[in-house]
């Protein structure tokens, strides 16, 4: 299978590396120091499941350098999807499948503005990974990373089942979901905790061990649960308990990608996480005071990091 990985960071580097290791023809879209390191030294993956190197690795910062792909995994931050979406036609044929793996809920809508919605399979992933150094991906948590995919019409189509088989054979878990949007909202709920971690400058272990911190986490998840109900997501209050269990299962010193970006004064996905909760609530005349406080406080850091925040 010919596969193009858009964004060779913690997510794209790991999953693309595993697919390349399993003899698929993988092309990595990367830029700057990351691209130079991959082209000169290969792609190195340091993993709790075992280290490996893809060398030589096929990489470029121009999609026109790649052949048309059977599968495109879009692994950039949400804001970067806006930039790359108009260019995807360069690597697409009639049956190309595009799977966005961003945090948040906006990616499919952005992609549909530029490519046929039938080419898009909604997806999500679960992994703790990051760029440790140029050309080096560090997978440091979620020992068996997961990709979940599903059709918008909830049918288990042959292409879904074939992709799940391909992913599992590559050495990571994959699941076909009948209600992928429910699964995306569950992840969205948990990932929004990263805003609270960034605001309190704490790890998952620290905030869950402090009673007021634990209470705030539950309040944050509960606000999102009620927003989801209003958005007609098919879930019940058990999802709040599930999110708290995910917090408890996280490594004591684990942080979120949004938190790491904000701590480094880099543009983050705040707008598409806690910011999205606030916008959804506003549209439906609902109150989400904790998410709103997190969003407003962190928007100051975002503004000075150069990320657009409405004043």
């Amino acid at each position: 299978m010919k596969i193009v990985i858009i964004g060779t960071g913690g997510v794209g580097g790991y999953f693309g590396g595993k697919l390349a290791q399993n003899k698929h023809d993988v092309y990595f879209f990367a830029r700057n120091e990351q691209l130079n390191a991959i082209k000169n030294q290969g792609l190195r993956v340091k993993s709790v499941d075992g280290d490996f190197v893809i060398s030589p690795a096929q990489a470029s910062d121009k999609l026109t350098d790649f052949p048309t792909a059977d599968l495109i995994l879009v692994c950039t931050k949400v804001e970067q999807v806006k930039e790359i979406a108009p260019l995807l036609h360069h690597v697409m044929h009639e049956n190309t499948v595009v799977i966005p793996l961003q945090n948040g809920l906006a990616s499919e809508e952005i992609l549909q503005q530029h490519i046929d919605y039938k080419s898009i399979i909604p997806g999500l992933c679960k992994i703790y990974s990051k760029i440790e150094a140029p050309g080096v991906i560090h997978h440091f948590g979620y020992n068996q990373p997961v990709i979940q995919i599903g059709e918008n019409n909830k049918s288990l189509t042959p292409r879904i089942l074939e992709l799940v088989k391909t992913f599992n054979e590559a050495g990571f878990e994959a699941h076909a979901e009948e209600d992928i949007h429910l699964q995306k909202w569950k992840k969205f709920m948990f990932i929004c905790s990263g805003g609270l971690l960034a605001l309190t400058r704490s790890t998952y272990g620290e905030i869950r061990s402090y009673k007021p911190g634990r209470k705030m986490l539950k309040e944050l998840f509960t606000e999102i649960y009620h927003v989801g109900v209003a958005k007609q997501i098919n879930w019940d209050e058990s999802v709040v308990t599930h999110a708290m269990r995910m917090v408890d299962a996280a490594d004591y010193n684990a942080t979120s990608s949004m938190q790491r970006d904000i701590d480094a004064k880099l543009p983050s996905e705040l707008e598409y996480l806690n910011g999205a909760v606030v916008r959804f609530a506003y549209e439906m005349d609902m109150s989400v005071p904790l998410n709103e406080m997190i969003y407003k406080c962190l928007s100051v850091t975002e503004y000075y990091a150069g990320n657009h925040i409405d004043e």
Side-chain angles (χ1 to χ4, degrees):
M1 182 181 289
K2 283 186 168 59
I3 301 170
V4 169
I5 304 296
I6 306 293
T8 312
V11 171
Y14 176 83
F15 290 114
K18 294 293 282 186
L19 288 161
Q21 190 182 35
N22 199 43
K23 309 305 181 186
H24 290 285
D25 197 7
V26 180
Y27 299 82
F28 296 94
F29 182 83
R31 288 174 170 159
N32 304 322
E33 290 184 335
Q34 184 75 343
L35 173 61
N36 292 334
I38 292 170
K39 290 177 76 170
N40 294 328
Q41 305 164 24
L43 176 68
R44 294 177 56 206
V45 178
K46 297 169 61 177
S47 171
V48 291
D49 283 337
D51 302 347
F52 61 92
V53 179
I54 304 301
S55 182
Q58 303 174 105
S60 177
D61 58 1
K62 298 181 181 65
L63 287 183
T64 51
D65 289 343
F66 300 154
T68 54
D70 304 305
L71 170 65
I72 300 172
L73 294 183
V74 183
C75 307
T76 63
K77 296 289 180 66
V78 182
E79 192 66 30
Q80 295 166 310
V81 177
K82 294 178 181 178
E83 176 188 353
I84 203 70
L87 306 176
L88 290 180
H89 68 275
H90 289 299
V91 287
M92 292 184 67
H93 56 65
E94 184 180 5
N95 296 313
T96 299
V97 169
V98 180
I99 302 178
L101 294 177
Q102 284 67 40
N103 295 326
L105 305 167
S107 296
E108 288 100 54
E109 183 177 344
I110 296 169
L111 288 168
Q112 285 176 25
Q113 295 172 18
H114 301 279
I115 63 176
D116 189 336
Y117 78 95
K118 293 178 183 177
S119 300
I120 303 167
I121 293 180
L124 63 91
C125 65
K126 297 175 182 178
I127 184 174
Y128 288 117
S129 57
K130 63 182 180 180
I131 297 176
E132 183 176 272
V136 182
I137 305 301
H138 184 194
H139 162 222
F140 56 90
Y142 224 102
N143 286 22
Q144 181 59 279
V146 177
I147 287 182
Q148 295 166 264
I149 57 175
E151 300 282 8
N152 282 305
N153 64 6
K154 300 186 179 183
S155 61
L156 297 179
T157 58
R159 67 177 185 171
I160 289 285
L161 299 177
E162 183 62 31
L163 284 167
V164 166
K165 180 174 180 286
T166 296
F167 292 158
N168 278 301
E169 288 174 349
F172 53 87
E173 276 190 47
H175 302 286
E177 302 289 348
E178 288 191 10
D179 192 345
I180 188 62
H181 295 291
L182 170 60
Q183 301 305 322
K184 285 176 69 68
W185 268 84
K186 285 181 178 180
K187 181 183 178 183
F188 174 70
M189 173 183 282
F190 173 71
I191 291 293
C192 283
S193 62
L196 185 58
L197 266 63
L199 189 60
T200 57
R201 298 182 180 181
S202 60
T203 67
Y204 276 110
E206 290 167 343
I207 198 165
R208 73 187 180 219
S209 301
Y210 178 55
K211 286 185 179 179
R214 191 173 187 86
K215 182 179 179 182
M216 282 192 291
L217 280 168
K218 188 172 182 180
E219 288 174 0
L220 181 146
F221 295 148
T222 301
E223 287 181 1
I224 297 171
Y225 161 69
H226 288 298
V227 169
V229 170
K231 297 281 282 184
Q232 299 185 324
I233 300 303
N234 184 27
W235 61 8
D236 57 43
E237 286 186 274
S238 66
V239 295
V240 174
T241 302
H242 175 73
M244 291 301 296
R245 286 176 180 159
M246 290 180 69
V247 169
D248 289 334
D251 184 87
Y252 187 93
N253 294 312
T255 57
S256 72
S257 60
M258 180 167 68
Q259 178 184 7
R260 293 191 294 273
D261 286 339
I262 288 174
D263 286 349
K265 299 191 182 301
L266 297 171
S268 78
E269 293 181 312
L270 176 67
E271 278 290 298
Y272 301 98
L273 297 174
N274 304 91
V277 176
V278 173
R279 285 190 297 279
F280 292 153
Y282 179 80
E283 291 166 3
M284 296 179 291
D285 197 25
M286 297 176 66
S287 176
V288 287
L290 183 53
N291 278 278
E292 186 170 3
M293 181 193 72
I294 292 167
Y295 175 65
K296 287 183 175 179
C297 290
L298 292 179
S299 67
V300 177
T301 303
E302 287 287 88
Y303 179 81
Y304 287 105
N307 208 12
H308 175 72
I309 297 288
D310 290 334
E311 295 184 54

